Amino acid sequence: MTEGEIVIDDIKKDAETRMQKSFESLQNNFKKIRTGRAHPSILDAVMVEYYGAQMPINQVASVNVEDARTLTVVPWEQSMVPKVEKAIMTAELGLNPASAGNVIRVPMPMLTEETRKGYIKQARQEAENTRVAVRNVRRDANHEIKALLKSKDITEDDERQGEDDIQKLTDKIVGEIDKALESKEHDLMQV
């Protein structure tokens, strides 16, 4: 491998890492868009005040699925029940927890057709934002490759091959984004 090919290889690896991070971010955002089914990851964004510090809910309580439409949250300390319940209510997830003793039950409200369409629109927007981020990474990588050509560190053939590889990587990640969106839309439309 020539020095130019090594540099192009580094650019491709960096682009792939950045594109993969964008895709992982999309997957995390999709977890926050709730479907009609109960899943512990719905509460991942909930932060609870624990002795003066904000902690993720899964560090102060166990979150489990009781049935298809109900989560149970059991704080590890009895005194935390009201704080955890309040944190779930104020997390803007549209959930109304109810505590019985030291167990907090979180029923998942039925999604109306209008709500489902709103969530699908939100999911599509998240996917489009991720596609734009991936394309920006492609643009940056191609710009770096063109700069190498301009400074005569690589040949035109190396440039063409590098840009082709970056495009293939972009197409692969955009395909993964489209599959994830299709899967999320399918989940949202199930009653």
Side-chain angles (χ1 to χ4, degrees):
M1 272 181 119
T2 67
E3 193 175 313
E5 291 171 327
I6 293 171
V7 174
I8 289 177
D9 204 41
D10 288 345
I11 292 170
K12 287 190 287 192
K13 286 178 184 167
D14 178 55
E16 184 172 15
T17 302
R18 290 172 55 200
M19 288 180 185
Q20 209 56 50
K21 283 183 182 169
S22 294
F23 182 64
E24 288 166 12
S25 173
L26 173 71
Q27 290 176 315
N28 287 334
N29 290 340
F30 276 177
K31 286 180 187 173
K32 294 174 188 167
I33 301 174
R34 68 183 175 85
T35 58
R37 292 188 305 276
H39 194 276
S41 66
I42 292 168
L43 299 179
D44 282 353
V46 176
M47 300 298 276
V48 181
E49 191 201 317
Y50 185 69
Y51 295 107
Q54 292 293 318
M55 305 282 284
I57 194 166
N58 61 7
Q59 291 186 12
V60 297
S62 65
V63 180
N64 297 299
V65 177
E66 183 174 284
D67 58 49
R69 306 208 56 78
T70 311
L71 289 174
T72 56
V73 181
V74 182
W76 293 320
E77 296 177 24
Q78 176 74 34
S79 63
M80 291 300 296
V81 172
K83 288 182 180 180
V84 171
E85 189 175 10
K86 183 178 182 208
I88 294 169
M89 258 191 254
T90 59
E92 295 182 17
L93 294 172
L95 302 174
N96 292 316
S99 59
N102 63 343
V103 176
I104 302 168
R105 284 192 174 67
V106 185
M108 296 292 125
M110 289 295 291
L111 296 178
T112 64
E113 189 67 24
E114 189 177 312
T115 310
R116 287 175 198 279
K117 286 179 180 170
Y119 283 148
I120 286 175
K121 190 175 181 181
Q122 182 182 349
R124 286 179 179 161
Q125 185 61 51
E126 293 284 352
E128 183 55 32
N129 291 345
T130 305
R131 281 189 210 102
V132 168
V134 167
R135 289 184 197 120
N136 287 340
V137 172
R138 177 190 60 192
R139 184 198 62 218
D140 294 346
N142 285 341
H143 182 74
E144 288 179 44
I145 291 172
K146 283 188 189 323
L148 287 173
L149 178 67
K150 198 172 187 179
S151 66
K152 298 192 183 345
D153 290 335
I154 61 171
T155 65
E156 286 184 15
D157 289 344
D158 290 341
E159 176 205 20
R160 212 168 297 112
Q161 183 60 48
E163 287 180 350
D164 285 349
D165 291 348
I166 296 289
Q167 186 58 49
K168 286 176 189 164
L169 179 63
T170 302
D171 294 343
K172 178 183 147 221
I173 299 286
V174 168
E176 290 176 13
I177 292 168
D178 293 342
K179 280 184 199 157
L181 176 61
E182 192 178 311
S183 172
K184 189 65 179 181
E185 286 180 348
H186 180 74
D187 285 352
L188 286 167
M189 288 315 291
Q190 287 183 339
V191 178

